[in-house]
Amino acid sequence: MQNLNLPEANLKIVIEDGKEKVFDPFRKKYVRLTPEEHVRQTFLAFMTTYLDYPIGLTAVEKLVVVNGLKQRADIVVYDRQMQPHLIVECKAPSVSITMDVFNQALRYNMRLGVRYVVVTNGLQHYCAEIMADGSTAFLREMPRYDC
C-alpha cells in the first residue's frame, strides 16, 4: 500500500483466499484491503489514537438515505447523547480531493446534521465546521473529540 500523510497505524492484515484483508475493530471483522479501506483504517487509527475519538461512538459505513437513495457514509462519530457529530468521507490516494468529494459528504450531512465534515484521501485532509447558519468554515486541523 502507498505511504499516507498520517501517522503509521498498526493494522492487522491477513491473506485469505489470496486476497489481503484488514481487521476493522469498528465492524469487528476482516474486510478486503483496498486503497480506500487502507485510508479509512489508517484515518480511524489516527482519530482514536491521537484525537481521542471513542471507538464505541464511531460507526463505519453507516447507512444514510439521501433523497430516497441508500448510501454509506465512511465514518460517522456521535456525541455522548448519540447525536451525529462528525462525518468523514475517505477516498483512495489516487482520487483527488475536489469540491465534488466535499459535496458528497455534505449530502450525507443533509440527513445527519453534523458539526464537522472531513474529507481525506490519506494524502490530503480537509475539515470544515458547519456553522448554525449553514455556512462552512475550513479549519487548519481536525478537532479533538470533546463532546
Side-chain angles (χ1 to χ4, degrees), residues 16-76:
E16 277 184 19
D17 301 323
K19 297 182 169 128
E20 282 187 311
K21 293 189 171 188
V22 61
F23 185 73
D24 179 341
F26 299 85
R27 292 178 276 182
K28 296 179 176 52
K29 66 180 182 177
Y30 280 92
V31 295
R32 180 91 190 270
L33 182 58
T34 63
E36 181 178 325
E37 192 64 43
H38 180 234
V39 170
R40 180 173 27 240
Q41 292 303 319
T42 304
F43 201 82
L44 283 162
F46 166 69
M47 290 172 60
T48 57
T49 302
Y50 295 95
L51 300 176
D52 300 324
Y53 283 82
I55 289 176
L57 295 176
T58 303
V60 175
E61 293 213 334
K62 173 72 176 160
L63 179 65
V64 180
V65 179
V66 180
N67 296 327
L69 298 173
K70 293 180 181 179
Q71 301 178 17
R72 296 201 177 271
D74 285 314
I75 302 167
V76 179

Side-chain angles (χ1 to χ4, degrees), residues 4 39 89-93 95-97 119-125:
L4 303 177
V39 170
E89 179 59 28
C90 300
K91 297 297 184 188
V95 177
S96 297
I97 299 298
V119 293
T120 181
N121 64 3
L123 304 173
Q124 297 176 300
H125 327 285

